[in-house]
Amino acid sequence: MILTSTLQRKTLFRRTTALLATGALTVLLTAFGNAPAQGAVPPPPSGWTTVFSDDFNGAAGAGVNTSNWMYNTGPGSNFGTGEIETMTSSTQNVHLDGNGNLDITAIGSGSNWTSGRIQTPSAVAGAPAGGKLEVTASLQQPTGGLGYWPAFWMLGQGQWPENGEIDIMEDVNARSQVAGTIHCGVSPGGPCNEGNGIGSGLQNCGGCQSGFHTYTMILDRTNTSNESITFYLDGNAYFTVTEGQVGTSTWQQAYDHNLTILFDLAMGGAFPNGVCGCTTPTGATTSGGTMTVQYVAAYTTNGGGGNPPPPGGGAITGIAGLCVDDRSASTANGNPIQIYTCNGTNAQQWTFVQAGTTLHVLGKCMDITSGGTANGTLVQLYDCNNTAAQVWIPQSNGSLYNPQSNKCLDDPASSTTPGTQLQIWDCNGGANQSWHLP
């Protein structure tokens, strides 16, 4: 994927500005060793389930497992951050080391650098209602001096920052520190203070360039009236943000759904420049600094209710008590989703899956045709694929909100004619956008 979209530029620009005002920091430069793996992905604790993991086993010099990862490639000049590297899919920049580790390496000098960025191709991890999500990685930060900017983070699909971002680990200039930050709401400003976000600022991380350390985020939805995100370094909590700080609707839109997982190693840009008060990288910056990742894993606990209601099969009813229906009970991709007289058939037995905020019927998902965002784009049945076109977030007024389009599920012109295909439209709180979930 070429990183030239407005969303991607906004996201990276935000990551720059979020940490500029952190004050003077102590530089720690240590000799970087290609350390061997120290263990496999930890098994889930009792009561938890592994939903995604990679231990980066494979032959030395091989690329990443493309079932788990996609390469985000393109010049840093497109990212809006001032960073100067070009992200590539070359194994010189992104490769397995043969010892069970992933290496992301920045190579270059002057203004000519290459590096790497990988992302899960779909939104693989979310906390179920009433449950928890833990996302963790064991990694060693790069040495090499001024200009290095490693990151381990998560990103919601669709609009940024509305659909959420969680930065689990960021550091800069090979300093022995770490920062955790969330992003949500609107930009600029809003409840998450965009484009800065709400963050810990840079915290001490002793030895983080000389050995592996664990960087963890837990999204806790067990307190359904005040969910939270907590950041951990080596199992020790150092920063927490709560739903109450940003408001329920903003929080639900940002975090009550699945997100993707990313690793990247940028070079130069406004953040490292701002911290050192100089232009990075410099002539003293060493080529070949590497972020080494031992493993990454995501675990969840089972949900136990919450608001909106827990998963369960049944009818979704709208205006005049009509039911949301898969036309003719067809499972063909692209089949219309319509309103119809309630009849109790399987074509009307919907399941709301909280972790992905998706609506399922007959083994497939409610989907916006071609991922459209315009008023009047029709809604269809399609293979579940974790894309933003299949995210439906229940609102307190009964509407089903799709963050990517910034629109709601809509019964056209408040029709009560069975067979009318549903669409998306600007959210207006009308009766034709009020839906009752099973």
Side-chain angles (χ1 to χ4, degrees), residues 84 107-113 281 285 287:
I84 65 169
I107 300 170
S109 63
S111 60
N112 297 311
W113 289 79
T285 302
S287 176

Side-chain angles (χ1 to χ4, degrees), residues 27 29 145-150 171-175 271-273 275-276 280:
V27 176
L29 300 179
L146 298 175
Y148 281 89
W149 180 3
D171 194 13
V172 70
N173 293 344
R175 298 173 181 270
F271 178 29
N273 293 353
V275 169
C276 73
T280 67

Side-chain angles (χ1 to χ4, degrees), residues 193-238:
N193 189 34
E194 301 302 348
N196 291 325
I198 300 175
S200 65
L202 288 165
Q203 305 290 312
N204 289 335
C205 185
C208 287
Q209 282 77 39
S210 58
F212 288 107
H213 293 258
T214 56
Y215 303 85
T216 304
M217 177 282 307
I218 293 181
L219 171 54
D220 186 344
R221 299 183 63 193
T222 57
N223 181 350
T224 57
S225 63
N226 195 26
E227 298 174 4
S228 64
I229 294 172
T230 299
F231 297 90
Y232 299 80
L233 173 62
D234 294 328
N236 299 307
Y238 68 90

Side-chain angles (χ1 to χ4, degrees), residues 7-378:
L7 165 63
Q8 289 152 339
R9 290 195 298 270
K10 280 183 177 179
T11 300
L12 287 164
F13 178 74
R14 190 275 317 139
R15 291 207 290 116
T16 298
T17 58
L19 299 171
L20 284 173
T22 56
L25 304 170
T26 302
V27 176
L28 175 64
L29 300 179
T30 60
F32 182 83
N34 192 15
Q38 299 176 345
V41 175
S46 177
W48 294 69
T49 300
T50 303
V51 294
F52 176 81
S53 68
D54 198 333
D55 58 9
F56 302 110
N57 287 330
V64 293
N65 181 347
T66 54
S67 296
N68 287 344
W69 304 100
M70 58 184 285
Y71 297 93
N72 288 341
T73 60
S77 58
N78 287 340
F79 299 167
T81 63
E83 61 193 76
I84 65 169
E85 85 292 335
T86 296
M87 295 296 191
T88 84
S89 58
S90 168
T91 54
Q92 291 185 341
N93 297 119
V94 182
H95 68 267
L96 307 181
D97 71 356
N99 293 317
N101 301 315
L102 165 71
D103 286 347
I104 301 180
T105 302
I107 300 170
S109 63
S111 60
N112 297 311
W113 289 79
T114 59
S115 191
R117 169 170 162 159
I118 60 171
Q119 176 178 2
T120 57
S122 62
V124 295
K132 298 180 183 181
L133 166 69
E134 174 181 332
V135 179
T136 186
S138 174
L139 64 88
Q140 183 170 325
Q141 294 187 26
T143 61
L146 298 175
Y148 281 89
W149 180 3
F152 162 43
W153 51 304
M154 303 183 72
L155 184 63
Q157 296 181 308
Q159 290 291 113
W160 184 89
E162 290 92 330
N163 216 27
E165 180 179 336
I166 305 172
D167 300 327
I168 304 171
M169 185 287 296
E170 287 188 288
D171 194 13
V172 70
N173 293 344
R175 298 173 181 270
S176 191
Q177 298 196 318
V178 61
T181 309
I182 71 160
H183 299 273
C184 66
V186 297
S187 183
C192 272
N193 189 34
E194 301 302 348
N196 291 325
I198 300 175
S200 65
L202 288 165
Q203 305 290 312
N204 289 335
C205 185
C208 287
Q209 282 77 39
S210 58
F212 288 107
H213 293 258
T214 56
Y215 303 85
T216 304
M217 177 282 307
I218 293 181
L219 171 54
D220 186 344
R221 299 183 63 193
T222 57
N223 181 350
T224 57
S225 63
N226 195 26
E227 298 174 4
S228 64
I229 294 172
T230 299
F231 297 90
Y232 299 80
L233 173 62
D234 294 328
N236 299 307
Y238 68 90
F239 183 61
T240 297
V241 187
T242 67
E243 177 182 352
Q245 292 177 247
V246 303
T248 297
S249 61
T250 297
W251 185 275
Q252 287 181 348
Q253 184 177 339
Y255 304 117
D256 288 2
H257 54 79
N258 282 17
L259 297 94
T260 62
I261 299 173
L262 304 93
F263 292 97
D264 75 87
L265 179 56
M267 283 298 299
F271 178 29
N273 293 353
V275 169
C276 73
C278 64
T279 299
T280 67
T282 69
T285 302
T286 303
S287 176
T290 298
M291 177 169 67
T292 300
V293 185
Q294 184 182 62
Y295 63 78
V296 60
Y299 313 101
T300 60
T301 65
N302 293 326
N307 182 24
I316 300 175
T317 57
I319 196 167
L322 293 170
C323 279
V324 176
D325 179 274
D326 173 40
R327 185 175 293 172
S328 301
S330 171
T331 57
N333 283 337
N335 197 58
I337 299 299
Q338 61 183 11
I339 56 167
Y340 203 79
T341 304
C342 295
N343 54 30
T345 63
N346 288 338
Q348 297 179 357
Q349 301 303 301
W350 293 88
T351 300
F352 183 74
V353 180
Q354 280 277 9
T357 54
T358 49
L359 288 161
H360 297 232
V361 71
L362 298 175
K364 295 198 173 184
C365 279
M366 183 185 293
D367 178 276
I368 300 171
T369 301
S370 300
T373 60
N375 281 340
T377 303
L378 296 175

